[in-house]
Amino acid sequence: MIPENELKELFPSFEPALLHEMAQHCSVRSFQDGDMLMKTGSYIRSSMVILSGLVKVLRADEEGSEYFMYYIEPGQACALSMTCANKQNISELSAKAVGDVELITVPLDKMDQWMMQYKSWYQFVLGTYRKRFEEMLTTLDHVAFRNMDERLVFYLKQHSQKLKTNIIPYTHAEIAGELNSSREVISRLMKKLADRGMIKMNRNEIEIINLDSVL
Amino acid sequence: MIPENELKELFPSFEPALLHEMAQHCSVRSFQDGDMLMKTGSYIRSSMVILSGLVKVLRADEEGSEYFMYYIEPGQACALSMTCANKQNISELSAKAVGDVELITVPLDKMDQWMMQYKSWYQFVLGTYRKRFEEMLTTLDHVAFRNMDERLVFYLKQHSQKLKTNIIPYTHAEIAGELNSSREVISRLMKKLADRGMIKMNRNEIEIINLDSVL
DNA sequence: AATGGTTTGTGATAATTGTCACATAGTTAT
DNA sequence: ATAACTATGTGACAATTATCACAAACCATT
């Protein structure tokens, strides 16, 4: 049972009746850093809304290549779980906990019911879609139109912003994986950024100095 | 005023009351082949649902490069116009009529109202999101994971299927534009496909013979 | 301090794609 | 029929990215 006042803080726009129903019908699940919340190909049985922590969403193809798509933050939901859930569907994305994550699962029937009953829920769901859609467009833009150097800078910016730190605790190999590139390419591009004073490289982490430099 | 029985055919799942409201509150707009229904950067004032014809949706960046995203068919809606419309928003995509197109525009307030009032409308909107989301994922997959030869084959397949013909009436330069590649690259790849007997090339068109060959 | 594992650096080379220059072949209008 | 235009073919070359091989640096454990 979820404390209603906690929900109220995270979702100030929700009607009291909706918050009450959420507390009653949703259950909380906890994940640890690195846990997979969802794997490509697994069934989706409920919608998920993040309470705390960060969730990283990746597209993964059959052969194991993956591509970073976007982060889901507290107070946001997984768009895929919301639509897919409708028709007992298979996930096309994988989601990974970054740090410890708490989330609530919303049963499918409640999902539908609230949609027609509570305007704030409907707006929440639609807003979620819009946000994800826009993020996917940005991702597509970068893959379609930009070279790896720009994509790397964007990747670093994004992560610095979402992780709320200028230290990105990833290895070159990990970053290469999420950009569907190879470790050597990323290492070389990193070196260029470091030479221009935009980052500092340490083992297992990248320190961001200034990525907006127009030198 | 739209004839209700025409709507009923296209949307068999909609409640009679909803069909009646649609006929009353929506207006029909017609476009000719090549017309832009929506341009990147323009405001969205209403949601659009296609009655007849095909609509091609492209992502275009600031410098004029573009990338083909998906087709919208009769009985389907533009997901972007549905969410963006909510908050007087700017389109991130451009949409072009392929052949003559008839569509209905749904006022924003009705959009919201029906969402909570008619279950069939809610399911329609959610289905639209899901479909577009999946199509965008497929597009992203190809750009991120596939080489140009595979992307070209997929492009040809997709268009053949949606245009319901095995003659694709595009020039190499047009196809190159929609795949954000260059004319020469597409010409050379086309030649390879032709050499393998998968297509036949004529001026201004590509005839598809068999794109599934695993020779 | 020595060992083994992981991370990063780097040169050589290949594969893919983009770009330029120009040739050739159809099409259209005069 | 000729000129002008558009579409396509092609060689040469550049840029970007991928791949391989191996070296060097760093870390943890014993």
Side-chain angles (χ1 to χ4, degrees), chain A residues 59 62 80 83 89 92 112 115-116 118-119 122 130 133-134 136 140-141 144-146 180, chain B residues 59 62 69 80 83 89 92 112 115-116 118-119 122 130 133-134 136 141 144-146 180:
Chain A
R59 175 68 162 167
E62 318 79 43
L80 249 270
T83 29
N89 219 311
E92 313 223 25
D112 275 15
M115 199 73 184
M116 307 199 62
Y118 299 108
K119 184 148 195 178
Y122 149 68
R130 199 169 67 91
F133 214 95
E134 282 171 9
M136 271 191 66
L140 184 64
D141 265 3
F145 300 136
R146 305 297 171 188
N180 192 44
Chain B
R59 176 67 162 166
E62 319 78 41
M69 300 226 350
L80 249 270
T83 31
N89 221 314
E92 313 223 26
D112 275 16
M115 198 74 185
M116 306 199 63
Y118 300 108
K119 184 147 195 177
Y122 149 68
R130 201 169 66 92
F133 213 96
E134 283 171 9
M136 271 191 66
D141 267 2
F145 300 135
R146 306 295 171 190
N180 192 44

Side-chain angles (χ1 to χ4, degrees), chain A residues 59-63 65-70 79-80 82-87 89 92-93 111-120 122-123 125-127 129-130 132-134 136-141 143-146 151 180, chain B residues 59-63 65-70 79-80 82-87 89 92-93 111-120 122-123 125-127 129-130 132-134 136-141 143-146 151 180:
Chain A
R59 175 68 162 167
D61 79 350
E62 318 79 43
E63 292 123 33
S65 322
E66 54 180 18
Y67 199 92
F68 170 74
M69 302 226 348
Y70 46 73
L80 249 270
M82 292 177 117
T83 29
C84 284
N86 251 355
K87 316 186 176 180
N89 219 311
E92 313 223 25
L93 299 170
M111 177 82 201
D112 275 15
Q113 195 182 311
W114 296 347
M115 199 73 184
M116 307 199 62
Q117 200 172 346
Y118 299 108
K119 184 148 195 178
S120 64
Y122 149 68
Q123 282 169 340
V125 172
L126 248 66
Y129 279 124
R130 199 169 67 91
R132 297 296 158 248
F133 214 95
E134 282 171 9
M136 271 191 66
L137 271 181
T138 306
T139 304
L140 184 64
D141 265 3
V143 192
F145 300 136
R146 305 297 171 188
R151 281 154 66 189
N180 192 44
Chain B
R59 176 67 162 166
D61 79 349
E62 319 78 41
E63 291 123 34
S65 323
E66 54 180 20
Y67 199 92
F68 171 74
M69 300 226 350
Y70 48 72
L80 249 270
M82 292 176 119
T83 31
C84 283
N86 251 353
K87 318 187 177 180
N89 221 314
E92 313 223 26
L93 300 170
M111 177 81 202
D112 275 16
Q113 196 182 312
W114 297 346
M115 198 74 185
M116 306 199 63
Q117 201 172 346
Y118 300 108
K119 184 147 195 177
S120 64
Y122 149 68
Q123 283 170 341
V125 172
L126 247 66
Y129 278 124
R130 201 169 66 92
R132 297 296 157 248
F133 213 96
E134 283 171 9
M136 271 191 66
L137 272 179
T138 306
T139 304
L140 184 64
D141 267 2
V143 192
F145 300 135
R146 306 295 171 190
R151 282 154 66 189
N180 192 44

Side-chain angles (χ1 to χ4, degrees), chain A residues 5-206:
Chain A
N5 48 350
E6 195 184 312
L7 287 177
K8 194 168 184 176
E9 265 180 50
L10 211 50
F11 306 102
S13 70
F14 285 9
E15 291 97 338
L18 172 56
L19 292 170
H20 187 66
E21 281 211 62
M22 283 176 75
Q24 279 195 308
H25 299 291
C26 298
S27 50
V28 178
R29 294 186 62 187
S30 298
F31 295 88
Q32 293 186 322
D33 184 51
D35 285 354
M36 299 297 284
L37 312 199
M38 194 185 277
K39 268 193 228 165
T40 308
S42 60
Y43 280 95
I44 301 173
R45 306 205 173 284
S46 55
S47 292
M48 301 190 294
V49 180
I50 311 300
L51 291 178
S52 66
L54 265 185
V55 175
K56 178 183 262 187
V57 178
L58 301 157
R59 175 68 162 167
D61 79 350
E62 318 79 43
E63 292 123 33
S65 322
E66 54 180 18
Y67 199 92
F68 170 74
M69 302 226 348
Y70 46 73
Y71 276 116
I72 305 179
E73 297 179 288
Q76 299 184 341
C78 169
L80 249 270
S81 75
M82 292 177 117
T83 29
C84 284
N86 251 355
K87 316 186 176 180
Q88 230 198 6
N89 219 311
I90 278 176
S91 167
E92 313 223 25
L93 299 170
S94 54
K96 195 192 281 181
V98 177
D100 294 349
V101 167
E102 270 199 332
L103 55 80
I104 53 179
T105 57
V106 183
L108 296 193
D109 56 328
K110 289 300 160 191
M111 177 82 201
D112 275 15
Q113 195 182 311
W114 296 347
M115 199 73 184
M116 307 199 62
Q117 200 172 346
Y118 299 108
K119 184 148 195 178
S120 64
W121 179 254
Y122 149 68
Q123 282 169 340
F124 172 73
V125 172
L126 248 66
T128 295
Y129 279 124
R130 199 169 67 91
K131 191 151 179 55
R132 297 296 158 248
F133 214 95
E134 282 171 9
E135 281 168 334
M136 271 191 66
L137 271 181
T138 306
T139 304
L140 184 64
D141 265 3
H142 279 84
V143 192
F145 300 136
R146 305 297 171 188
N147 285 347
M148 197 50 83
D149 52 351
E150 285 184 80
R151 281 154 66 189
L152 177 58
V153 168
F154 181 71
Y155 178 94
L156 293 174
K157 272 191 200 175
Q158 240 181 329
H159 285 254
S160 159
Q161 189 193 327
K162 298 288 181 180
L163 298 171
K164 294 194 201 340
T165 167
N166 52 352
I167 308 265
I168 315 264
Y170 297 148
T171 66
H172 295 178
E174 285 170 330
I175 296 174
E178 300 202 339
L179 289 172
N180 192 44
S181 178
S182 67
R183 202 259 315 158
E184 296 93 320
V185 171
I186 298 300
S187 279
R188 280 187 250 257
L189 292 175
M190 286 287 192
K191 197 158 182 301
K192 280 192 195 174
L193 295 182
D195 287 348
R196 289 202 275 159
M198 298 165 77
I199 62 171
K200 275 188 191 159
M201 288 187 289
N202 303 311
R203 193 185 170 84
N204 293 316
E205 61 176 46
I206 312 295

